[in-house]
Amino acid sequence: MIILYRLFIWLYKWGAECISPFNKKAQRWLKGRQNIFELLEKKIIQDAGSIIWFHCASLGEFEQARTLIETVRHQFPNCKILLTFFSPSGYEIRKNYTGADFVFYLPMDSKANAARFLQIVNPILVIWIKYEYWHYYLAEIKNKKIPLLLVSGVFRDDQPFFKWYGAFYRKMLANFSWLFVQNTASKDLLKRIGISDNVSVSGDTRFDRVIEIASQFKAIAEIDQFIGNAKVIVAGSTWEEDEEELDHFANTNNAIKFIIVPHEIEESHLTDIEKLFRHSIRFSVWQNKITKGEWAMDNHSSNVLIIDNIGMLASLYHYATISYVGGGFGNDGVHNVLEAAVYGKPVIFGPVYEKYAEAIGLVECGAAFSVENSLELEENLKILLNDEDLYKDACASARQYVLANQGATEKVIRYIQEKRLLTN
């Protein structure tokens, strides 16, 4: 199995090199790892202090970790924070994050890279978020007897850990000092493979993060001017499939305002969205019209605002009468539904959500609605917009669900304190 693992690592890098001439994400993935050990040695000097290493696969895992990172930084100010990402989606957006002292890509997994990385960084505590299991890194961390925590882990029985061929993957899990999992189903699965003494159900730190974001909401003047007194559908993290499900309803309901926040904001995608939604305007263009005092006419003719920047989505859900979360019509599944639900509004998404406990929970409590196609989407939107009692119940259920599941960050911090992991 180790041979297959090494082959996978090699093929991953080779594939990135092959597509990099015409794929910006692959270009960034490769460029970000050039001379990475020299950069690490230059920035992480020996007297930098005790280092706590957080690893996140991508941006979603960073948001999951953020409240924990900032709580650790506040409670242990003498420690330095190292944050690593595997994906450009996380690193490129958060490379200047001030909550960490050092932000880097994680070098590709190999025995030599893991040994060199840990020799340079020499962390006193390592915290990995949700998933990503790199064999050589995990083994070297354990070999150096460094406490290693998995936070907000979630496990499903279709994962290789629980298959007959999964011994190699199970060995990776054995490297963790403690596993904080999101639910009892994950704990039960781990118990089935003999991992039980170092597992606890803590919940998902994303609940703490979205509650924190909602509490810090600040009004966006341009959005207030666009929506006026209209009802609003905020569609976040959308892909082409999501936008195609929404376009008919948006094009035939001019009295409703739509805010479309695409997952990717390349120019070609933005142009395609403009073609789909006949009465649309980009946020950057809208801002410019407001600055010039030319917004009034467009505000009457445009009912779809296309967000062409990154970073606004979590605040935009505040304005929603109903939120639509994208990704549910693709193979990877629905994006972060908690960002929307925290504001106490109904959430709608596509049919692919079975891997996400929070999406399942919101559906079960009547706060979220999964749809199979555009006809079901329009039917659900019409019902929620016209049935006041159902709408109020869905709003209350969404807010209550999020608040009832907060507290995961506190449980991790309590463990760190009780085990004196950061106390000399």
Side-chain angles (χ1 to χ4, degrees), residues 113-332:
N113 282 357
R116 188 174 179 186
F117 182 89
L118 285 160
Q119 180 184 18
I120 295 169
V121 174
N122 192 30
I124 61 171
L125 174 62
V126 181
I127 301 175
W128 282 25
I129 307 299
K130 191 176 180 180
Y131 56 55
E132 271 213 339
Y133 306 97
W134 299 113
H135 167 74
Y136 291 108
Y137 279 104
L138 296 176
E140 185 65 13
I141 292 167
K142 185 171 184 179
N143 182 55
K144 287 183 170 291
K145 297 181 172 58
I146 303 167
L148 170 62
L149 311 181
L150 179 69
V151 170
S152 295
V154 61
F155 294 92
R156 305 180 308 277
D157 59 9
D158 62 348
Q159 291 173 312
F161 309 109
F162 312 107
K163 302 298 184 181
W164 63 266
Y165 54 82
F168 175 75
Y169 301 96
R170 291 191 285 272
K171 189 176 180 181
M172 291 191 205
L173 294 181
N175 292 308
F176 285 93
S177 309
W178 199 270
L179 298 100
F180 293 95
V181 297
Q182 293 187 22
N183 49 45
T184 54
S186 293
K187 185 178 181 180
D188 292 342
L189 282 170
L190 291 172
K191 186 177 182 179
R192 200 173 82 191
I193 59 173
I195 301 175
S196 58
D197 294 339
N198 60 335
V199 181
S200 60
V201 178
S202 63
D204 188 344
T205 51
R206 279 181 302 173
F207 287 93
D208 302 325
R209 176 59 183 155
V210 297
I211 290 170
E212 180 182 45
I213 291 172
S215 70
Q216 297 172 352
F217 170 78
K218 294 181 180 179
I220 305 170
E222 296 92 337
I223 301 299
D224 286 319
Q225 286 182 283
F226 180 78
I227 63 177
N229 296 317
K231 293 183 177 180
V232 183
I233 309 297
V234 176
S237 298
T238 60
W239 295 88
E240 182 180 351
E241 301 92 335
D242 301 295
E243 292 141 13
E244 289 175 350
E245 301 295 333
L246 284 162
D247 72 319
H248 179 265
F249 191 78
N251 288 329
T252 55
N253 288 273
N254 291 337
I256 300 173
K257 296 290 187 177
F258 292 78
I259 300 176
I260 308 294
V261 191
H263 187 71
E264 303 284 354
I265 58 169
E266 282 81 3
E267 179 61 29
S268 58
H269 188 196
L270 294 173
T271 300
D272 288 341
I273 297 173
E274 288 175 315
K275 292 176 181 177
L276 274 177
F277 299 97
R278 295 194 298 268
H279 308 293
S280 63
I281 187 170
R282 296 191 192 190
F283 181 76
S284 58
V285 176
W286 176 247
Q287 277 185 309
N288 189 47
K289 287 183 177 293
I290 290 175
T291 301
K292 294 181 177 179
E294 301 172 355
W295 62 276
M297 184 65 68
D298 278 290
N299 197 34
H300 292 292
S301 60
S302 302
N303 76 317
V304 178
L305 185 65
I306 303 169
I307 305 300
D308 52 358
N309 61 62
I310 295 173
M312 293 178 65
L313 177 57
S315 295
L316 292 174
Y317 281 129
H318 168 88
Y319 292 97
T321 306
I322 302 169
S323 294
Y324 175 92
V325 179
F329 284 95
N331 293 330
D332 292 335

Side-chain angles (χ1 to χ4, degrees), residues 22-45:
F22 47 88
N23 185 294
K24 289 183 179 180
K25 189 173 182 179
Q27 290 172 15
R28 292 168 182 154
W29 190 91
L30 291 167
K31 184 178 180 181
R33 288 171 167 81
Q34 291 176 356
N35 304 315
I36 192 162
F37 288 110
E38 289 78 6
L39 291 170
L40 278 164
E41 289 174 337
K42 183 179 179 181
K43 291 192 175 184
I44 301 180
I45 56 177

